[in-house]
Amino acid sequence: MDQLTCKNLKLGYENITLTEDLSFSVEKGDYLCIVGENGAGKSTLMRTLLRLQKPLAGTIEYNDDLTASKIGYLPQQTIVQKDFPASVYEVVLSGCQNSLGVHLFYSKAAKKRAYDNMERLGISDLAKWCYRDLSGGQQQRVLLARALCATEKMLLLDEPVAGLDPLVTNEMYELIKKLNDEGITVIMISHDIVSSVKYAKHILHIGNEFFFGTVEDYKKSSAGSSYLEGGEAK
């Protein structure tokens, strides 16, 4: 079942077009990596899927009772966000905001969901810690737990391992794979082409060339061959 279908998307800002005629679909349980040149519109695409900005043209269809508000999102962190003065529990719980509705306070179910996801990601012992005192890898686990509080259907991850050391990077990739194996659809922007073809099921390449298909077909494509050489990203 397709959870998400994009048809003839044109993305950009006012008079600036970043990419156009972008069509692809994402099946339930898929693991899609979005790759391509800097400035090609990868982050813009992700914001558009979340309805944080409108496409210049084209359509986005949500299925499987999925809406933009039911998608978990882990954006790239800014310096200000890394210094956020809140507890780990407060940051994770904020992922339940969409469930508040007209209520002013989080329900017992929302609080349990926050604790369950901290346990799920191995950070329950950090619940009372200040977020800004954590390591980069711990902060990413907190943000991933926050994203999981918003959904059990789909996660959108924008460069989730940026700035992490190799060991923590591998741990994060394995954690994301585990969530995907549990049935959560993953859409991830990545500059790490080696890990993209290792973990993903499908690749969306946007930029000077366009490709959408399986990892194996991507390796054989002209877009893929320009990025892959000797098992390393160019």
Side-chain angles (χ1 to χ4, degrees):
M1 173 191 292
D2 287 345
Q3 285 183 316
L4 184 68
T5 303
C6 298
K7 297 179 180 178
N8 304 315
L9 287 184
K10 181 179 180 181
L11 306 177
Y13 303 88
E14 298 180 353
N15 297 323
I16 301 175
T17 298
L18 298 176
T19 189
E20 55 188 332
D21 296 326
L22 188 61
S23 297
F24 66 96
S25 59
V26 181
E27 297 180 353
K28 183 177 181 179
D30 204 350
Y31 191 145
L32 173 70
C33 274
I34 304 173
V35 302
E37 296 82 8
N38 289 333
K42 299 186 293 296
S43 293
T44 302
L45 171 59
M46 196 161 277
R47 289 192 295 271
T48 303
L49 296 180
L50 292 162
R51 295 195 183 280
L52 298 178
Q53 69 181 77
K54 294 181 180 180
L56 300 179
T59 60
I60 303 173
E61 299 175 4
Y62 301 92
N63 302 301
D64 188 33
D65 192 34
L66 181 71
T67 62
S69 64
K70 294 182 180 179
I71 298 175
Y73 179 43
L74 196 165
Q76 291 190 53
Q77 280 203 88
T78 64
I79 297 298
V80 172
Q81 289 168 330
K82 290 181 179 181
D83 199 38
F84 194 63
S87 73
V88 166
Y89 170 67
E90 290 171 329
V91 173
V92 174
L93 183 61
S94 68
C96 298
Q97 284 183 345
N98 288 333
S99 67
L100 285 176
V102 297
H103 303 288
L104 297 177
F105 303 101
Y106 292 106
S107 66
K108 289 183 179 180
K111 293 176 181 178
K112 183 179 185 302
R113 186 173 180 82
Y115 278 112
D116 287 347
N117 280 314
M118 286 191 293
E119 182 72 27
R120 190 178 189 180
L121 298 190
I123 55 173
S124 56
D125 59 325
L126 302 177
K128 295 182 180 180
W129 283 47
C130 183
Y131 176 79
R132 64 185 177 190
D133 292 335
L134 302 179
S135 68
Q138 289 171 328
Q139 287 188 344
Q140 287 300 81
R141 283 181 180 252
V142 171
L143 295 180
L144 189 53
R146 180 183 185 276
L148 285 170
C149 281
T151 186
E152 279 292 326
K153 292 180 179 289
M154 180 179 287
L155 289 172
L156 269 58
L157 314 174
D158 193 348
E159 294 287 353
V161 301
L164 303 182
D165 65 49
L167 178 60
V168 177
T169 291
N170 185 64
E171 290 176 351
M172 182 61 66
Y173 277 130
E174 290 297 326
L175 186 57
I176 294 168
K177 180 181 183 300
K178 180 177 180 292
L179 295 173
N180 180 243
D181 289 342
E182 292 173 359
I184 298 178
T185 305
V186 173
I187 301 177
M188 180 172 72
I189 293 175
S190 179
H191 285 96
D192 183 353
I193 192 65
V194 175
S195 294
S196 294
V197 299
K198 177 181 178 181
Y199 291 101
K201 298 173 183 175
H202 290 86
I203 299 288
L204 173 64
H205 183 122
I206 57 179
N208 295 328
E209 295 186 75
F210 171 81
F211 174 90
F212 172 66
T214 66
V215 169
E216 290 306 314
D217 286 341
Y218 179 66
K219 292 177 181 177
K220 302 172 186 175
S221 70
S222 58
S225 62
S226 68
Y227 265 58
L228 291 164
E229 183 174 300
E232 297 182 357
K234 294 184 67 177

